[in-house]
Amino acid sequence: MGRISDRQIDEAIANFRFEGTLIEQRPYGNGHINDTFLLTFDIGEMGRLRVILQCMNKSIFTKPVELMENVLGVTSYLRKKIIENGGDPERETLNVIRTVANRPYFVDSQGDYWRAYKFIEGATSYDQVETPEDFYQSAVSFGNFQRLLADYPAETLHETIVGFHDTKARFATFKKAVEEDVCGRVASVQKEIDFVLAHEDVANVFGDMLANGELPLRVTHNDTKLNNIMIDDKTGKGICVIDLDTVMPGLAMNDFGDSIRFGASTAAEDEQDLSKVSCDMELFDVYAKGFIEGCGGKLTQKEIEMMPMGAKVMTFECGMRFLTDHLQGDTYFKIHRENHNLDRCRTQFKLVEDMEAKWDTMQEIIKKYNS
Ligand code: ADP
Ligand code: GN1
Ligand code: MG
């Protein structure tokens, strides 16, 4: 935090079509990318109304206008589908609040881009799995999300981050960061660097399979962390997939794998005590079941078979990205303490090792659901 001044926040607030009197504003959530604020308005007799206001990270999302075109396209498409299915479009998809000038985003006097969403009430985004049932529900929701978008015109989607899950390209970027060593940190992380170099094959698997036509490109979320889903406080069901910045053509196994990386870990993403970090096979099982069910028969047998690999690739890629950022001076992911990205990288590599040790079990679990 701290990147955005109070004056900028006030300017943004004044430029959205918010109703009522602002009574509270505070930073919100644990996202690593955008600056998120929770605003509370008093709307008189009607009580209180909350909204999410976000300053988009423009050094990461260099084309915020295109990004918002994606968000509007996807949310209005989902809205129609939710209504057709008898759902509640106010809670089951993000709702963009427009600006006074009737735009879906606001550009402030510093050139920063802002957007606002209705706050999804009565639901929680979890940073760690509390019960296997919650994790199962999040799997069904992410699977459903992919199923609902199966016929979305993929060619209309902008690629908001080029090569986002091109693990091979990320491996090349990593090697360059090691060579350049701009912060002089290479010598202190040789063990982690060696881990990456020894796993080059993991970086290439999906790129090679895509090139051979063995895997289909689908419209995917690409950032399926547990805290990017809202779970209903009353019913315990996953109700809304949020953080749509990276919805783009991608691989089903990566959406599966990124959820496992984050949610099936027995510890937080930045846990310093690595003895606490492992990949929980019960959670892997419930997530696999929920995701495959949620995708509603759309996945090919090959995609299902490759799900353990999706978990390994996403975990390896994320660890490599954290390490790259550590080497480059922590310019991408927000950090809240010294060596934060290094700590995050270490949990990911510990998970990769654990997945390697549990590889046969992961295959067996997936086989149960691949008929
Ligand atoms: P980032 O890209 O930084 O992760 P997110 O869009 O995921 O940003 O938002 C950060 C956090 O804010 C989420 O994890 C969630 O807790 C909360 N959040 C975002 N949008 C909403 C919403 N519409 N309603 C309720 N909470 C939200
Ligand atoms: C970021 O935005 P957030 O915090 O949900 C990142 C993901 C990483 C994740 C690691 C746009 O997700 O790719 O997997 O951190 N998002 C972007 O926690 O880079
Ligand atoms: Mg997020």
Side-chain angles (χ1 to χ4, degrees):
M1 289 281 160
R3 194 176 66 87
I4 309 289
S5 69
D6 287 348
R7 183 186 284 218
Q8 273 179 285
I9 303 174
D10 292 345
E11 190 190 347
I13 292 172
N15 277 281
F16 279 90
R17 287 190 189 164
F18 297 144
E19 284 167 28
T21 312
L22 181 67
I23 53 172
E24 200 199 342
Q25 69 185 69
R26 61 178 169 94
Y28 192 73
N30 291 317
H32 293 338
I33 304 296
N34 296 305
D35 288 292
T36 304
F37 302 89
L38 172 65
L39 311 180
T40 308
F41 293 88
D42 186 330
I43 50 167
E45 298 276 306
M46 302 281 286
R48 291 185 172 178
L49 199 70
R50 300 200 286 178
V51 305
I52 287 283
L53 178 67
Q54 275 184 331
C55 184
M56 292 177 256
N57 188 320
K58 68 175 176 191
S59 52
I60 291 178
F61 297 110
T62 52
K63 293 182 177 164
V65 177
E66 291 191 351
L67 187 156
M68 286 311 289
E69 262 176 49
N70 279 5
V71 170
L72 281 181
V74 167
T75 52
S76 48
Y77 185 89
L78 289 174
R79 193 180 177 82
K80 266 197 229 129
K81 296 255 172 191
I82 292 163
I83 294 171
E84 276 167 25
N85 297 336
D88 176 359
E90 294 295 301
R91 292 185 81 226
E92 294 173 27
T93 183
L94 285 173
N95 284 276
V96 173
I97 302 171
R98 299 182 84 87
T99 65
V100 173
N102 199 22
R103 291 239 169 84
Y105 57 86
F106 170 68
V107 193
D108 70 18
S109 48
Q110 307 297 306
D112 276 309
Y113 283 72
W114 297 78
R115 67 177 165 213
Y117 293 123
K118 290 185 188 167
F119 189 87
I120 298 158
E121 295 288 353
T124 305
S125 79
Y126 292 97
D127 286 309
Q128 235 176 307
V129 168
E130 294 191 354
T131 67
E133 176 62 20
D134 279 353
F135 198 42
Y136 170 77
Q137 290 299 337
S138 78
V140 174
S141 294
F142 277 126
N144 270 326
F145 182 84
Q146 197 166 117
R147 182 176 50 78
L148 288 174
L149 291 176
D151 298 320
Y152 191 83
E155 67 286 356
T156 63
L157 280 172
H158 304 287
E159 205 177 351
T160 53
I161 297 178
V162 176
F164 189 55
H165 284 319
D166 182 343
T167 317
K168 190 176 187 170
R170 291 205 178 267
F171 186 87
T173 306
F174 164 78
K175 285 215 299 199
K176 194 155 168 271
V178 174
E179 272 158 33
E180 291 174 351
D181 193 16
V182 289
C183 296
R185 290 175 169 174
V186 160
S188 60
V189 292
Q190 201 54 54
K191 190 169 154 235
E192 286 74 19
I193 292 173
D194 290 344
F195 184 91
V196 177
L197 297 177
H199 284 81
E200 185 168 3
D201 56 329
V202 181
N204 295 334
V205 171
F206 285 152
D208 291 349
M209 288 181 79
L210 252 180
N212 296 337
E214 288 177 82
L215 297 170
L217 265 186
R218 300 184 183 279
V219 173
T220 49
H221 183 278
N222 295 307
D223 189 2
T224 52
K225 266 162 89 157
L226 185 66
N227 67 12
N228 285 331
I229 199 145
M230 306 298 300
I231 306 228
D232 191 292
D233 294 334
K234 279 211 188 98
T235 65
K237 299 237 180 288
I239 51 160
C240 184
V241 172
I242 61 170
D243 202 345
L244 304 178
D245 297 338
T246 50
V247 175
M248 290 182 277
L251 297 175
M253 296 83 57
N254 285 345
D255 269 10
F256 171 79
D258 201 33
S259 292
I260 297 300
R261 164 193 93 67
F262 190 86
S265 173
T266 51
E269 192 184 57
D270 59 356
E271 174 59 57
Q272 289 174 298
D273 178 356
L274 292 181
S275 70
K276 292 186 180 159
V277 182
S278 65
C279 184
D280 184 311
M281 287 298 108
E282 186 196 348
L283 292 177
F284 181 86
D285 193 326
V286 295
Y287 196 92
K289 180 171 186 290
F291 188 77
I292 293 168
E293 281 171 14
C295 285
K298 297 255 181 208
L299 300 175
T300 65
Q301 286 210 336
K302 192 71 180 173
E303 286 179 295
I304 298 178
E305 184 192 315
M306 294 309 288
M307 280 178 157
M309 186 56 82
K312 185 163 153 180
V313 169
M314 278 299 95
T315 312
F316 172 68
E317 181 192 276
C318 196
M320 183 167 69
R321 290 173 64 196
F322 287 141
L323 186 54
T324 304
D325 200 28
H326 178 72
L327 293 173
Q328 290 178 333
D330 308 301
T331 58
Y332 188 97
F333 298 103
K334 283 187 197 159
I335 57 162
H336 308 289
R337 61 176 188 245
E338 211 182 317
N339 291 336
H340 207 165
N341 276 316
L342 180 58
D343 292 338
R344 290 171 176 150
C345 149
R346 287 179 171 150
T347 61
Q348 303 307 292
F349 292 167
K350 173 75 196 290
L351 283 172
V352 171
E353 278 174 349
D354 195 46
M355 288 175 193
E356 286 172 346
K358 294 171 177 166
W359 199 242
D360 291 345
T361 310
M362 289 164 77
Q363 303 289 343
E364 287 304 316
I365 291 170
I366 289 297
K367 255 195 214 144
K368 286 195 299 190
Y369 302 116
N370 202 2
S371 52

